[in-house]
């Protein structure tokens, strides 16, 4: 009896090339726009394997070497779950062209993904739970396909702080990070959370790219736009998500900005700052350096040795969210990156970098943030 592969569900994405018993040849598909146009990006996968409950399955991703970030498959292991609650790394090999995923037997059909998914239903539950715990929901606009683009507002302090996640929808660790951050920020029993809400007003957008999330894209929205290249001149047709958030930031002002992401290749947690901007000030440099030092003290998962070079984005620098905001407001403005693989400084053989670790990192970031606001 042959296994069966399906992906017709929220964030599902894979192409089935051939199935032979308990073996299958699969291909990662390109990001799709609403009209079916394929973008240049292909990396995300999320699918279900049925019929492998007794004998497991051997899955070959035949185009792994031709994906957008092929170098990211080195030392990578896919995540899998049969109950959709507990996700673990499974044996994965990459020979430079083909990536082979070995699934063990399981009590039920197994879901396989690039990283632990964060569903649209969980996103809606996060919004409702946050409101029940004291946050206010503010609808900023809608996506290309008409999904709500929402911000959670918490606190009553003078400093406006903006935190956004999932401009690149396949970087699901970003919303897990924000879930953990919100859990602590809205905890009335946490004195640090109370101090933060007194010092700042938080505007938190857990999912900047709802269409891409549901479509199963890695980086683009339903118009085929990479949102983190749209900040200089967003339009209502191509990038309404960025336009809505950018307009709201200009209306509120910004004292600190954080754009949460995941990196395909680097096995570390790090931040990328604004030091490449021509108007980058000494006070911004000092704020970046102090924030990084405070974050290292708050979480062993964070480090500053490995990351992006300052010259990485010079040509299109103001098209990126954190660079645009840093330029416009002269504030602390950072992109935070987490790995798709594992944290090489603190590896976990069973789960690698995970949703739970992302959430704990989100909670830990509140410590250096409070220190920053106290110095502002």
């Amino acid at each position: 009896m042959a296994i069966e592969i399906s992906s017709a569900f929220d964030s599902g994405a894979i192409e089935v090339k051939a199935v032979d018993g308990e073996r299958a040849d699969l291909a990662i598909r390109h990001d799709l726009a609403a009209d079916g146009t394929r973008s240049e990006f292909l990396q995300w996968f999320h699918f279900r394997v049925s019929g492998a409950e007794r004998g497991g399955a051997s899955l070959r991703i035949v185009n792994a070497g031709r994906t957008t970030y092929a170098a990211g498959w080195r030392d990578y292991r896919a995540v899998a779950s049969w109950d959709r609650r507990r996700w673990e790394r499974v044996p994965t090999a990459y020979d430079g062209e083909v990536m082979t995923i070995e699934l063990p037997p399981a009590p039920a059909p197994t879901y396989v993904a690039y990283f632990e998914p964060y569903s649209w239903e969980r996103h809606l539950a996060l919004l409702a739970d946050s409101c029940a715990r004291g946050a206010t929901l503010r609808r900023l606009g809608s996506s290309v396909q008409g999904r709500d683009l929402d911000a959670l507002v918490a606190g009553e302090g003078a400093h406006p702080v903006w935190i956004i996640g999932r401009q690149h929808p396949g970087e699901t660790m970003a919303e897990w990070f924000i879930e953990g951050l919100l859990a602590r920020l809205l905890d009335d029993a946490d004195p640090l959370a109370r101090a933060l809400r007194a010092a700042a007003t938080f505007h938190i957008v857990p999912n900047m790219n709802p269409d891409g999330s549901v479509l199963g894209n890695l980086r683009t929205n339903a118009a085929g736009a990479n949102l983190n290249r749209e900040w200089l001149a967003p339009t209502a047709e191509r990038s309404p998500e960025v336009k809505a958030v950018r307009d709201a930031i200009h209306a509120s002002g910004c004292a600190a900005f954080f754009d949460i992401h995941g990196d395909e290749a680097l096995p570390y947690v790090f931040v990328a700052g604004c030091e490449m901007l021509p108007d980058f000030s000494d006070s911004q440099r000092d704020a970046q350096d102090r924030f990084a030092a405070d974050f290292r003290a708050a979480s062993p998962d964070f480090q500053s040795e490995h990351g992006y070079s300052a010259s990485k984005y010079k040509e299109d620098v103001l098209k990126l969210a954190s660079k645009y905001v840093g330029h416009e407001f002269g504030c602390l403005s950072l992109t935070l990156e987490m790995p798709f693989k594992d944290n090489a400084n603190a590896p976990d053989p069973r789960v690698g970098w995970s949703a739970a670790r992302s959430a704990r990192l989100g909670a830990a970031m509140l410590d250096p943030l409070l220190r920053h606001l106290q110095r502002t």
Side-chain angles (χ1 to χ4, degrees):
M1 182 177 179
I3 60 173
E4 296 177 305
I5 312 290
S6 59
S7 60
F9 46 77
D10 181 357
S11 80
I14 200 69
E15 293 178 354
V16 180
K17 298 298 184 181
V19 176
D20 181 12
E22 295 177 344
R23 299 177 180 272
D25 282 358
L26 310 172
I28 296 172
R29 69 153 172 80
H30 290 258
D31 284 7
L32 294 177
D35 63 2
T37 303
R38 302 170 75 141
S39 87
E40 62 184 297
F41 300 106
L42 63 159
Q43 194 87 10
W44 173 260
F45 59 88
H46 181 200
F47 56 90
R48 192 181 83 165
V49 181
S50 303
E53 287 83 346
R54 288 191 176 183
S58 182
L59 312 170
R60 295 185 350 125
I61 309 294
V62 297
N63 67 338
R66 301 188 299 278
T67 53
T68 307
Y69 304 103
W73 303 129
R74 300 286 181 191
D75 301 319
Y76 168 80
R77 290 178 295 151
V79 297
S81 173
W82 59 269
D83 62 7
R84 301 179 66 211
R85 294 192 306 273
R86 292 166 295 185
W87 294 78
E88 296 188 358
R89 301 283 172 166
V90 292
T92 306
Y94 175 60
D95 63 9
E97 295 183 6
V98 175
M99 181 169 66
T100 303
I101 303 169
E102 300 291 348
L103 288 189
T110 297
Y111 290 80
V112 184
Y114 186 23
F115 193 82
E116 186 167 343
Y118 198 103
S119 71
W120 182 244
E121 182 58 34
R122 189 177 184 105
H123 167 79
L124 297 178
L126 174 64
L127 299 180
D129 178 68
S130 298
C131 290
R133 300 178 64 209
T136 300
L137 186 67
R138 180 185 174 196
R139 186 180 187 274
L140 302 180
S142 62
S143 66
V144 171
Q145 292 187 310
R147 293 183 175 88
D148 295 319
L149 185 67
D150 295 315
L152 290 163
V153 182
E156 57 285 328
H159 299 293
V161 174
W162 280 85
I163 302 170
I164 67 172
R166 293 187 80 180
Q167 286 204 85
H168 297 151
E171 296 167 13
T172 55
M173 62 283 289
E175 195 156 7
W176 289 111
F177 175 100
I178 287 177
E179 182 176 303
L181 183 148
L182 282 165
R184 186 179 186 191
L185 180 64
L186 300 175
D187 184 357
D188 284 335
D190 190 323
L192 182 139
R194 294 198 304 271
L196 276 168
R197 299 199 309 269
T201 300
F202 287 81
H203 307 264
I204 300 173
V205 185
N207 191 335
M208 283 282 297
N209 197 336
D211 296 344
S213 301
V214 174
L215 289 169
N217 290 347
L218 175 76
R219 289 175 80 85
T220 60
N221 71 354
N226 175 357
L227 295 187
N228 204 29
R229 299 297 184 276
E230 294 286 316
W231 282 74
L232 188 58
T235 66
E237 295 73 31
R238 178 174 169 80
S239 48
E241 304 90 349
V242 171
K243 187 176 188 306
V245 173
R246 199 186 81 155
D247 288 350
I249 295 174
H250 276 282
S252 71
C254 190
F257 177 85
F258 302 91
D259 184 17
I260 314 303
H261 284 263
D263 185 271
E264 292 79 10
L266 293 175
Y268 301 100
V269 176
F270 59 96
V271 291
C274 294
E275 58 272 15
M276 73 294 297
L277 295 175
D279 56 353
F280 187 64
S281 67
D282 290 341
S283 63
Q284 283 177 294
R285 186 180 304 278
D286 181 64
Q288 279 188 190
D289 292 345
R290 288 182 178 228
F291 183 87
D294 290 340
F295 207 165
R296 289 194 301 271
S299 173
D301 269 329
F302 182 79
Q303 57 82 53
S304 301
E305 182 180 354
H306 305 277
Y308 300 150
S309 67
S311 61
K312 181 176 174 67
Y313 296 118
K314 276 194 173 179
E315 291 184 4
D316 55 0
V317 64
L318 290 183
K319 297 178 181 179
L320 280 72
S322 65
K323 321 311 176 193
Y324 174 85
V325 173
H327 170 72
E328 288 290 315
F329 295 93
C331 63
L332 176 68
S333 187
L334 299 172
T335 301
L336 183 139
E337 300 279 356
M338 292 171 282
F340 275 89
K341 303 176 183 180
D342 200 350
N343 185 345
N345 288 342
D348 185 324
R350 185 173 65 86
V351 298
W353 190 256
S354 65
R357 290 178 76 179
S358 301
R360 290 189 178 93
L361 186 72
M365 196 184 79
L366 295 181
D367 290 271
L369 180 53
L370 179 59
R371 289 180 176 271
H372 169 72
L373 293 173
Q374 288 171 338
R375 291 190 292 262
T376 302

